Amino acid sequence: MIAKIFAGITITYALSPVDLVPDFIPVLGYLDDIILLPMLIALTVKCIPADVMERNRRQAVGMWENGKPRKWYYAIPVVLFWSMILFFLLTGCGAGNSCFID
């Protein structure tokens, strides 16, 4: 349970726009991310019970058979999402502009 709490804290801190030291402060702003995030990740991994870690390592052994992951199709929604974002950024769609060719 404590590992889940630390994982939540780590993800929240990584995605949060609020930092311990604001990023606009030269050097120090990014230094807290470089030091604090790896420490939070290491703390989270250390809090995972040994039996859970061992069980998941055994399950992961055959994941990359034949040079590709067994459940590669799980990546399709992620690739489609980022492709749409890239399309909108490159074409200017959604910013009051029409996405269709006139």
Side-chain angles (χ1 to χ4, degrees):
M1 181 66 177
I2 193 80
K4 290 180 182 181
I5 293 170
F6 280 126
I9 291 170
T10 303
I11 291 169
T12 302
Y13 184 77
L15 298 178
S16 173
V18 178
D19 284 338
L20 236 48
V21 180
D23 287 340
F24 63 83
I25 297 174
V27 181
L28 293 177
Y30 292 111
L31 196 59
D32 76 323
D33 292 336
I34 292 172
I35 293 171
L36 193 60
L37 281 174
M39 285 176 46
L40 285 170
I41 292 169
L43 182 62
T44 301
V45 170
K46 285 191 182 291
C47 289
I48 296 173
D51 60 325
V52 173
M53 186 67 87
E54 185 58 37
R55 182 184 68 220
N56 288 319
R57 283 190 175 148
R58 275 187 270 120
Q59 288 177 351
V61 168
M63 281 297 256
W64 284 84
E65 293 173 356
N66 302 326
K68 68 177 182 180
R70 194 174 337 153
K71 297 182 180 180
W72 60 270
Y73 45 85
Y74 284 6
I76 292 173
V78 176
V79 171
L80 288 175
F81 173 78
W82 285 108
S83 298
M84 283 181 10
I85 297 293
L86 185 62
F87 171 77
F88 288 136
L89 287 175
L90 293 177
T91 61
C93 290
N97 299 330
S98 174
C99 295
F100 301 105
I101 299 173
D102 294 328

